[in-house]
Amino acid sequence: MTDRKNDVGAILDALADIKDLDEYQARSLPAGYYVSEEFLELEKEEIFPKEWICLGRLEEIGKPGDYFTTQLLDEPLIVVRGQDDKVRVLSNVCRHRSSVIAEGKGNAKNFVCPYHAWTYSTDGQLLRAPSMDQVAAFDTKACQLPRLATEIWRGFIYVNLDGKAKPLAPRLKGLEPYIQNYHPESLDLNVVQEEVWSTNWKYLAENFLEGYHLSTVHYKTLHDRTPTRLCEKIPPGEGYTGYKSHYTRKSPQRKPYHPDLTTEEKRYSMFFWVFPSHLVGLNPGGSASLCLQPRGTDEVVNRVTLSSYSSAGAQHSGNGRIRTENNREVGFNTVMDEDRAQLVRLLRGLKSRYVEPNRLGPPDLEGTVWDMFQYMARRLAPPPSRAKIKQTPLR
Ligand SMILES: [Fe+2]
């Protein structure tokens, strides 16, 4: 990679240049936005620890003691429903010698560090520390696993590492009318899968949330049900964007669905993006959620949950199946594999010296990508320089 692409100052200038431009002037960003190691470091300092990051679904921890472990950037975490039924996100690092405590998922009465058997309750209190009663001034009660700021929204569990983010729900208020009839909080979990994709995290997010590629990349799988021409963006908010992927008239009805859905709502899928890294597709019978985080400029951890309404059974789209116009069933992963192949191709192209920003597609088709650029500009772009302010003509 050339130094030019790694130049974080140039990327921030590009973000400052697009800030507040309207959606009809939408254009892409320099390649460095995706391939610069320095810019990734900035994202890891200024975006991920300061924002609400989705870790998974509430149904994953339905009973007291249920937990799953995960990692956000360098932070090993336990997501657990305590014996008091409260959902918490705890640091999964022993307070003694920093060993990671729990692995995988399961149901636990307490968590025992494998190193020296320090034992913590499901709310993070240190219960036992062998032989530490012989150590002067060691207070078991004063020792506990850090509890991280946690917010549950519509059945999704979010964490904020630095504990300073403003509450999430008010930021998503404008999204509510578009999703409330789906009642995402009442879905049942069918599938959890975590994988690493060889692309930049933003590319995967942009791809999941734009409809411009539906009729090309997914010509064989989705085009006859949700073609590009039927995509319709919703107005974005500070913390989100989204679009409706309308079904063709011949497309069969997905059943069962939530009874609150209107006739119109049964005829499209609703895709939304909670900035920066949570992507959701709601269809009348279920949902797919992608929780993303970078593992490098060209590697992204993609934690997927697929859910459906309880009466749906194994036939259902929430179980990873998508029914098309010809009543064919297509696997969720078949569609994702089509995206994956395309995203690897994008990253290869981005390393070319000839890459330059160009116009994005129309707002209904690619405007969600533009909304993400605007979010990143709001978060990262420097305020106008003194020089630029001086140039402003006086009235
Ligand atoms: Fe796609």
Side-chain angles (χ1 to χ4, degrees), residues 7-211:
D7 181 356
V8 76
I11 302 161
L12 293 177
D13 283 347
L15 282 170
D17 285 345
I18 64 155
K19 200 171 174 182
D20 299 328
L21 288 183
D22 74 48
E23 59 187 358
Y24 294 97
Q25 302 179 66
R27 60 178 190 248
S28 56
L29 289 165
Y33 181 65
Y34 304 93
V35 301
S36 162
E37 301 285 344
E38 281 179 30
F39 191 70
L40 174 67
E41 287 310 307
L42 189 70
E43 291 172 341
K44 285 160 78 173
E45 279 169 27
E46 294 297 324
I47 301 282
F48 281 86
K50 297 185 177 182
E51 278 288 21
W52 290 105
I53 306 296
C54 188
L55 299 177
R57 289 285 300 172
L58 212 48
E59 311 93 86
E60 296 182 65
I61 47 170
K63 299 188 300 293
D66 281 358
Y67 73 92
F68 66 88
T69 60
T70 187
Q71 178 143 336
L72 177 54
L73 304 179
D74 292 330
E75 296 299 339
L77 303 172
I78 307 176
V79 183
V80 57
R81 185 182 290 272
Q83 300 301 337
D84 58 0
D85 213 30
K86 272 197 183 155
V87 172
R88 294 183 181 87
V89 179
L90 305 173
S91 167
N92 187 14
V93 177
C94 183
R95 303 301 277 170
H96 176 219
R97 299 298 301 276
S98 312
S99 169
V100 170
I101 304 165
E103 303 277 2
K105 60 178 184 171
N107 185 278
K109 285 231 154 31
N110 44 48
F111 298 111
V112 184
C113 176
Y115 200 14
H116 301 99
W118 283 32
T119 301
Y120 300 87
S121 64
T122 51
D123 66 359
Q125 296 288 342
L126 182 63
L127 299 174
R128 282 184 296 283
S131 306
M132 292 301 287
D133 54 349
Q134 299 162 34
V135 173
F138 181 79
D139 182 5
T140 307
K141 287 198 181 73
C143 201
Q144 69 168 49
L145 300 176
R147 294 175 183 174
L148 281 66
T150 306
E151 188 167 329
I152 312 289
W153 178 78
R154 293 291 190 177
F156 297 105
I157 304 166
Y158 294 84
V159 71
N160 167 229
L161 290 183
D162 79 356
K164 294 179 189 160
K166 288 187 191 145
L168 177 65
R171 275 175 63 182
L172 303 181
K173 222 170 165 202
L175 188 57
E176 290 285 349
Y178 295 99
I179 64 157
Q180 60 193 9
N181 288 348
Y182 293 90
H183 298 276
E185 66 284 356
S186 60
L187 287 161
D188 292 326
L189 188 72
N190 300 124
V191 175
V192 182
Q193 62 190 35
E194 189 169 311
E195 49 201 17
V196 176
W197 287 34
S198 298
T199 191
N200 182 267
W201 71 274
K202 298 184 294 294
Y203 252 167
L204 172 48
E206 292 167 11
N207 175 80
F208 192 77
L209 241 286
E210 58 93 339

Side-chain angles (χ1 to χ4, degrees), residues 121-380:
S121 64
T122 51
D123 66 359
Q125 296 288 342
L126 182 63
L127 299 174
R128 282 184 296 283
S131 306
M132 292 301 287
D133 54 349
Q134 299 162 34
V135 173
F138 181 79
D139 182 5
T140 307
K141 287 198 181 73
C143 201
Q144 69 168 49
L145 300 176
R147 294 175 183 174
L148 281 66
T150 306
E151 188 167 329
I152 312 289
W153 178 78
R154 293 291 190 177
F156 297 105
I157 304 166
Y158 294 84
V159 71
N160 167 229
L161 290 183
D162 79 356
K164 294 179 189 160
K166 288 187 191 145
L168 177 65
R171 275 175 63 182
L172 303 181
K173 222 170 165 202
L175 188 57
E176 290 285 349
Y178 295 99
I179 64 157
Q180 60 193 9
N181 288 348
Y182 293 90
H183 298 276
E185 66 284 356
S186 60
L187 287 161
D188 292 326
L189 188 72
N190 300 124
V191 175
V192 182
Q193 62 190 35
E194 189 169 311
E195 49 201 17
V196 176
W197 287 34
S198 298
T199 191
N200 182 267
W201 71 274
K202 298 184 294 294
Y203 252 167
L204 172 48
E206 292 167 11
N207 175 80
F208 192 77
L209 241 286
E210 58 93 339
Y212 195 15
H213 74 285
L214 291 177
S215 290
T216 48
V217 173
H218 306 302
Y219 183 74
K220 288 186 187 155
T221 48
L222 298 180
H223 166 72
D224 66 356
R225 178 175 175 80
T226 57
T228 292
R229 68 175 192 280
L230 297 183
C231 293
E232 178 194 8
K233 195 166 87 75
I234 64 166
E238 188 200 333
Y240 65 88
T241 188
Y243 81 100
K244 297 172 183 177
S245 174
H246 291 280
Y247 304 157
T248 50
R249 267 190 299 158
K250 284 191 245 163
S251 196
Q253 194 65 60
R254 292 183 182 194
K255 288 181 186 174
Y257 39 76
H258 198 284
D260 285 355
L261 286 180
T262 64
T263 307
E264 195 201 340
E265 284 168 336
K266 288 174 198 160
R267 301 301 302 166
Y268 61 78
S269 296
M270 182 73 225
F271 286 85
F272 64 90
W273 184 344
V274 177
F275 298 139
S277 60
H278 184 211
L279 300 310
V280 181
L282 292 172
N283 65 60
S287 83
S289 152
L290 277 58
C291 301
L292 307 183
Q293 61 171 303
R295 210 170 76 168
T297 56
D298 54 5
E299 278 195 335
V300 48
V301 181
N302 177 17
R303 190 171 195 276
V304 177
T305 53
L306 304 175
S307 309
S308 62
Y309 297 103
S310 55
S311 53
Q315 307 294 320
H316 200 262
S317 56
N319 223 3
R321 312 296 297 174
I322 296 164
R323 197 175 283 280
T324 70
E325 184 178 315
N326 303 327
N327 227 10
R328 278 183 300 118
E329 280 208 338
V330 179
F332 175 82
N333 284 329
T334 306
V335 176
M336 292 299 274
D337 284 347
E338 293 172 335
D339 287 320
R340 190 198 305 253
Q342 180 54 44
L343 290 170
V344 169
R345 214 172 287 138
L346 280 183
L347 206 66
R348 210 177 107 213
L350 266 184
K351 292 179 181 166
S352 159
R353 69 181 63 211
Y354 305 115
V355 172
E356 285 177 1
N358 205 335
R359 300 300 305 273
L360 289 175
D364 277 335
L365 308 188
E366 221 175 5
T368 47
V369 174
W370 180 244
D371 294 338
M372 171 62 167
F373 291 173
Q374 290 298 317
Y375 161 82
M376 291 292 271
R378 286 194 298 275
R379 297 293 310 204
L380 297 176

